[in-house]
Amino acid sequence: MELPYKEYDESEYIETDTGNKVSKKATIIGSHNIVLAGKTIIESGCVLRGDLRRRGPGNQTSFLIGRYCVLSKNTLFKPPCKIFKGVFGYFPMKISDHVFVGENSIVEAASIGSYVYIGKNCIIGRFAIIKDCVYIEDNSVISPNTVISSFSYVSGGPPAKIVESLPENTQETFETRSKDYYIKFIPK
Amino acid sequence: MPEKVSISSTSLVCSSVNIVGEVTIGPGCVIQPKASIIAEGGPINIGSNNIISEQVTICNKKVSGKVMNIGNGNVFESRSSIECMGIGHNNVIQTAASVIGSFELGNNCVIGVRNRVNHDIEDGTVVFGDNDSKRARKDDIQTHVSTLNTHLEYLRDLL
């Protein structure tokens, strides 16, 4: 399927050296704890809580986001929290490459693999683990601590269930799609 | 900021929180960014040790004209919306849930992800699933209180 060209206001977006396009209207808190690998698009109204990180010294990143990801409008990303060994803490969220998150979704997952499509108005519960090549339909609600295996098509909820499996060419399809999205995301 | 807003010195209100009208916030609360508390119908009194997460809307509707009281130890998770007459103690309102209507929510209730409540429910009810099913809450309230306290402590330290 051909994606349409998407035009944005050049003054609204900041483009970094590695090709990330971040909207100035996005609320990014604790940006020093967020790692963007490159060519990621963060659209307006997006909220990233980078300030909620693990306590203590050492590795303190709260978001690791890969290449060619799209965080659409009004999405909310919050690292998951729990009591671990008697200490309360927030844990880092890892998002791999070619991940698309649709509008108004709320993500509190522990990790999201590569080639994942999350639709609009989805809620991904705390510490959910989403493996590679997963399609999550619009309006799905994934319960906390769920593990979704590769090549799953997830829908419904709460709680969402795996309805069918995806074909083997999912990786190529999602990769072309996300690259296409990035190339066609152009200034006016 | 209007002079009608009174915030206790031990509570923590992040920047980019939207507060409109007569709002009183008790001790030990944490209000995270992008939350909005709108008291257009009447004042809102928030008790102690509540966590109000991102994009939560607490609204005292124009029609009510009464005081909206929120008790102690409640957790409002991301993007939930509250438009009822009042809330008791130790409730958990999970992500994107909504409590809307002219009634008061009791104590110890759990409103699950994206569930809606628009009528009176008993104390200690859990609303869950895709049909807003209900059951009694069986877990110990002390676990909730201790988790909440550690969470609050952590947030106060961090933010």
Side-chain angles (χ1 to χ4, degrees), chain B residues 77-99:
Chain B
E77 288 181 19
S78 320
R79 213 177 279 171
S80 51
S81 62
I82 318 295
E83 285 176 21
C84 60
M85 307 296 278
I87 286 179
H89 308 295
N90 300 325
N91 296 292
V92 181
I93 291 152
Q94 291 185 341
T95 312
S98 56
V99 182

Side-chain angles (χ1 to χ4, degrees), chain B residues 24 33 61 103 135 145:
Chain B
T24 315
K61 273 287 185 66
F103 64 98
R135 67 172 169 85
V145 174

Side-chain angles (χ1 to χ4, degrees), chain A:
Chain A
M1 192 185 74
E2 275 291 302
L3 286 168
Y5 279 93
K6 213 173 172 182
E7 291 180 340
Y8 64 87
D9 192 357
E10 208 175 353
S11 59
E12 198 199 312
Y13 280 81
I14 303 168
E15 195 172 346
T16 62
D17 300 339
T18 45
N20 298 308
K21 290 178 178 177
V22 182
S23 170
K24 286 176 189 166
K25 288 178 185 163
T27 313
I28 296 169
I29 305 158
S31 49
H32 50 280
N33 296 323
I34 299 173
V35 179
L36 297 176
K39 302 201 172 175
T40 287
I41 301 170
I42 299 178
E43 294 183 5
S44 62
C46 188
V47 179
L48 279 115
R49 291 301 304 272
D51 53 341
L52 304 174
R53 54 169 168 74
R54 264 184 117 152
R55 210 194 318 232
N59 189 11
Q60 297 202 328
T61 44
S62 51
F63 283 101
L64 287 160
I65 299 177
R67 290 160 59 77
Y68 289 106
C69 291
V70 180
L71 316 182
S72 308
K73 282 175 188 164
N74 302 329
T75 45
L76 169 63
F77 290 80
K78 191 180 180 183
C81 60
K82 70 169 175 185
I83 295 177
F84 181 65
K85 290 180 179 167
V87 186
F88 187 91
Y90 279 88
F91 289 78
M93 185 195 287
K94 294 184 190 95
I95 298 178
S96 299
D97 307 339
H98 306 283
V99 174
F100 180 91
V101 183
E103 290 168 24
N104 299 323
S105 292
I106 301 174
V107 181
E108 287 184 68
S111 86
I112 297 177
S114 302
Y115 318 107
V116 174
Y117 180 92
I118 298 173
K120 290 174 190 169
N121 308 323
C122 289
I123 298 169
I124 316 290
R126 275 187 197 135
F127 290 100
I129 296 171
I130 300 171
K131 301 280 188 186
D132 300 342
C133 302
V134 174
Y135 186 97
I136 297 169
E137 214 177 56
D138 294 357
N139 306 316
S140 305
V141 178
I142 290 170
S143 339
N145 305 314
T146 317
V147 180
I148 295 173
S149 55
S150 294
F151 295 100
S152 309
Y153 185 100
V154 182
S155 131
K161 290 182 179 72
I162 296 173
V163 238
E164 55 184 325
S165 60
L166 290 172
E168 281 173 22
N169 67 352
T170 312
Q171 181 178 339
E172 283 85 45
T173 324
F174 284 6
E175 193 177 328
T176 12
R177 197 196 142 92
S178 64
K179 281 185 175 166
D180 216 28
Y181 193 100
Y182 183 80
I183 292 163
K184 289 181 174 171
F185 195 73
I186 45 164
K188 266 177 199 166

